[in-house]
Amino acid sequence: MARANDEVEALLREYADLLAITGGGAFKQRAYERAARAVGGHPGDIGALDAGGLREIPGVGASIADKIEEYLRTGRVPAVEKARSSVPPGVRALLDVPTLGPKKAMTLYRELGVSSVDALAAAVREDRLAGLAGFGPKARENLERGLAVLHASGGRIALDVALGVAEETVAALGAAPGVTRCAYAGSVRRMRETIGDVDVLAAADDPEPVMAAFVALPLVAEVVARGTKKTTVRTVDGLQIDLRVLGEESWGAGMIYFTGSKAHNVRLREIALRRGLKLSEYGLFDAKSGRRRAAGDEEEVYRRLGLSWVAPTLREDRGEIEAAGRDALPRLVTEADLRGDLHSHTDLTDGVAPLTEMVAAAARRGLRYYAVTDHAPDLRMQRMTLEKARAQREELRQLADRHGRLKLLHGTELNIDPEGNVDWPAEVLAEFEVCVASLHSHFDLDRDAQTRRLLRACENPHVHIIGHPTTRKFGRRGGVDVDLDAVFAACARTGTALEINSHPNRLDLNDAHVLRARQHGVRFSVDSDAHAPAHLGHVRYGVAQAQRGWLTPDDVINTWPLTRLRRFLRGGR
């Protein structure tokens, strides 16, 4: 079931959207967006808090706290319901279309009666936007691109959401009668960036009690199909979960089969056939006699096929079979390898927690070093100044005395302008220990212009890391049009690291880009881009993409000891 934090975060985001559509004021809208981030990132269960406790969450003021308390107590907020009544339901759905803002969404409804994404697609296709103020050729092109991005998501959901459901299901079924093992498989286990459905496996002699426990889970809204070996349900949020029950003796083969990918499994079956064997979800059998040769654990099955065990994140038929045959698979980077985090924010700009709380959270995670990189002044809505940055630096130095083991680095996230320049001059940039440079605007520049601006940022000697390099956000924005191979080559040449941004709505760079960049000899930084203490845990998703890109600890600069990292940051790369 959804946490109270998640429900309230969704409610506050909805209200912020409704305020944007109805013209409720930009300041008020941003306040609710900020509160939504704060609630979503709060580590404790807000369901146990009263209005006073809610007001202690950074970013949650008295008025918002009262609304949250009212929702937790009654399940409704009159102010939100009033706003809903003034906006047709389909108009808010239009905001899911990248490039379409609230004012234009309302214009489309009032002028053309467009109240759904399908109706918008038809209006664009039939050229009914022609002559509508604010919807010239460029706007139509942007809408077509936005609709394509939305369509490409295909109803798939973000990894963090699917993983949460998978872990909740496994924890519940692991305690069911007769279950000896339970785990998730499929694309969730391979940690793909988006997920279509969730596969769960359980080992038990009698499947019936397991199936009964499964369909009775609180998160189940509908039983799609129920059988003795497989049952399919749909959750209250519309996610499909497939449960398969098999015998303990088939566990290893079953985990390989249902983890996939399909292409990886096809290669395994081909190898089995060449060895006179047959591989299925029940085991590895002699093709002639039918005798089971291996099945109980994955390592045994791979070994019988002449292969090293392949980590699930590599099972995409991208060379892992050949490497496993040579015992040449890399030692993949893990979350435990990360010594530090080099990209995070506080409430000095768009974070929701003060510096002290972010530093304390980093210390609790056992990090050895931690960089605070609030936004630079060219992102004007954040109201950063050099004076504020220098004051933060002094505060960070004072905090360092309280966290002896955790070394604190003062950094900044710079804005790359259309020409490739960044916010501050060289003498100011030299004051910062870590400079992350990112694209935050002008996403519609052509390929040559986008490439030039990123190349220039890479060549800036004060820029250490290019943050979220493609700028994509799932379901909201596709990546910029850029010659990534030229950028990868420039990063390798200049010694500039590329970020794997771990926020589950970004995962930027993605695994395919990481594979390509690695071939150029690029170094990487796996960062949380945390805007709240709980967000520091996002690195698990970034590490997964790094693994899918075949990265080792040596490829990732924030696995390095601080002395080596400082040498890199000083330009000795």
Side-chain angles (χ1 to χ4, degrees):
M1 297 178 67
R3 296 186 311 150
N5 302 46
D6 299 330
E7 290 183 14
V8 172
E9 180 185 11
L11 180 78
L12 296 177
R13 289 193 185 281
E14 177 189 3
Y15 193 41
D17 285 347
L18 294 171
L19 289 170
I21 293 169
T22 58
F27 178 81
K28 189 174 181 181
Q29 174 197 346
R30 286 198 295 271
Y32 277 90
E33 289 173 345
R34 177 182 171 84
R37 288 199 303 271
V39 168
H42 187 66
D45 180 5
I46 67 166
L49 300 178
D50 60 13
L54 291 166
R55 284 196 294 272
E56 293 179 4
I57 300 174
V60 177
S63 175
I64 296 176
D66 289 342
K67 289 183 176 66
I68 296 173
E69 191 275 335
E70 184 175 25
Y71 176 76
L72 293 174
R73 181 168 42 84
T74 68
R76 54 191 295 268
V77 179
V80 177
E81 292 177 357
K82 181 180 178 181
R84 283 175 181 156
S85 68
S86 64
V87 177
V91 174
R92 182 170 181 253
L94 293 178
L95 299 186
D96 289 336
V97 180
T99 76
L100 183 62
K103 291 182 180 179
K104 286 190 174 181
M106 203 61 179
T107 297
L108 288 167
Y109 174 72
R110 287 172 177 159
E111 300 295 328
L112 299 177
V114 170
S115 60
S116 70
V117 173
D118 288 342
L120 174 60
V124 172
R125 188 169 57 249
E126 296 162 9
D127 201 24
R128 288 192 281 122
L129 276 59
L132 197 61
F135 289 91
K138 184 66 175 178
R140 171 178 172 148
E141 180 184 329
N142 288 338
L143 278 177
E144 288 176 336
R145 186 166 62 247
L147 287 164
V149 169
L150 188 63
H151 178 73
S153 67
R156 295 179 69 83
I157 65 170
L159 173 60
D160 64 320
V161 176
L163 188 57
V165 171
E167 290 176 337
E168 180 181 349
T169 304
V170 167
L173 293 183
V179 173
T180 57
R181 289 204 237 189
C182 188
Y184 53 83
S187 53
V188 177
R189 189 177 181 222
R190 300 200 315 276
M191 297 292 278
R192 287 196 59 184
E193 60 190 28
T194 60
I195 307 298
D197 52 41
V198 172
D199 293 288
V200 174
L201 265 65
D205 291 334
D206 182 3
E208 181 51 36
V210 191
M211 296 303 186
F214 180 48
V215 298
L217 291 178
L219 57 74
V220 173
E222 175 190 2
V223 178
V224 178
R226 180 168 176 173
T228 57
K229 294 182 179 179
K230 176 185 175 182
T231 291
T232 298
V233 302
R234 192 165 286 114
T235 72
V236 292
D237 295 319
L239 178 62
Q240 180 174 307
I241 311 176
D242 296 325
L243 170 66
R244 294 170 174 85
V245 179
L246 39 75
E248 178 73 30
E249 71 281 357
S250 298
W251 180 259
M255 283 296 289
I256 291 174
Y257 184 89
F258 291 111
T259 294
S261 66
K262 180 179 178 180
H264 178 86
N265 286 351
V266 166
R267 296 293 305 281
L268 293 182
R269 289 197 293 272
E270 290 173 349
I271 293 171
L273 286 172
R274 289 198 296 270
R275 289 172 170 256
L277 301 167
K278 182 180 179 181
L279 178 63
S280 72
E281 64 265 46
Y282 301 108
L284 185 65
F285 300 91
D286 185 284
K288 291 184 178 179
S289 68
R291 180 184 173 189
R292 193 196 311 263
R293 296 295 184 182
D297 62 73
E298 289 189 323
E299 289 85 352
E300 181 188 14
V301 175
Y302 278 103
R303 186 168 58 251
R304 286 278 187 169
L305 293 174
L307 305 172
S308 304
W309 177 79
V310 179
T313 46
L314 293 184
R315 299 181 193 178
E316 301 289 351
D317 191 24
R318 296 193 289 206
E320 74 278 4
I321 297 289
E322 292 78 4
R326 302 192 307 272
D327 196 22
L329 288 167
R331 205 286 264 176
L332 297 176
V333 64
T334 68
E335 190 175 350
D337 292 317
L338 298 185
R339 296 172 187 249
D341 194 324
L342 301 178
H343 183 178
S344 67
H345 299 272
T346 75
D347 62 356
L348 186 60
T349 56
D350 61 343
V352 299
L355 179 64
T356 52
E357 291 187 16
M358 294 302 294
V359 170
R364 287 194 299 271
R365 288 188 61 80
L367 297 182
R368 304 302 297 270
Y369 47 85
Y370 172 62
V372 175
T373 56
D374 275 312
H375 288 287
D378 282 357
L379 203 61
R380 290 181 176 83
M381 69 182 72
Q382 307 304 340
R383 301 175 182 174
M384 175 60 93
T385 65
L386 183 55
E387 290 72 26
K388 289 181 180 179
R390 285 172 171 162
Q392 184 186 64
R393 185 177 305 143
E394 182 56 35
E395 184 182 359
L396 205 61
R397 285 173 181 154
Q398 294 173 14
L399 282 172
D401 296 335
R402 298 185 225 163
H403 298 278
R405 183 178 181 275
L406 174 64
K407 302 304 179 185
L408 302 177
L409 307 177
H410 191 231
T412 179
E413 184 178 13
L414 304 163
N415 307 287
I416 304 172
D417 76 10
E419 287 72 44
N421 301 310
V422 295
D423 305 66
W424 280 305
E427 60 271 20
V428 173
L429 295 179
E431 299 178 16
F432 292 95
E433 294 172 281
V434 180
C435 290
V436 180
S438 308
L439 303 179
H440 291 115
S441 63
H442 298 87
F443 303 126
D444 58 350
L445 295 179
D446 64 36
R447 184 179 181 85
D448 289 343
Q450 294 287 16
T451 303
R452 280 195 303 271
R453 71 193 291 213
L454 278 170
L455 293 182
R456 186 164 184 183
C458 292
E459 290 161 358
N460 186 321
H462 295 285
V463 170
H464 306 114
I465 302 166
I466 300 296
H468 44 75
T470 76
T471 79
R472 73 161 183 186
K473 288 186 177 180
F474 293 124
R476 298 294 299 167
R477 183 171 70 226
V480 293
D481 186 10
V482 62
D483 183 347
L484 282 173
D485 285 299
V487 174
F488 298 158
C491 285
R493 183 180 71 251
T494 61
T496 307
L498 283 171
E499 181 178 68
I500 300 174
N501 188 293
S502 300
H503 194 289
N505 290 340
R506 286 189 185 272
L507 299 184
D508 180 14
L509 297 168
N510 68 21
D511 60 337
H513 295 152
V514 171
L515 277 166
R516 282 166 55 192
R518 179 175 174 268
Q519 292 171 353
H520 285 273
V522 171
R523 299 291 194 184
F524 302 85
S525 184
V526 178
D527 299 316
S528 66
D529 195 2
H531 286 66
H535 294 170
L536 292 170
H538 284 163
V539 290
R540 71 182 299 196
Y541 310 115
V543 167
Q545 302 315 301
Q547 291 183 347
R548 290 175 58 81
W550 291 57
L551 297 191
T552 69
D554 193 57
D555 295 317
V556 179
I557 65 172
N558 52 317
T559 68
W560 298 350
L562 184 57
T563 51
R564 183 182 178 189
L565 176 68
R566 287 192 187 279
R567 191 163 59 247
F568 172 86
L569 296 175
R570 288 194 298 266
R573 307 173 190 178

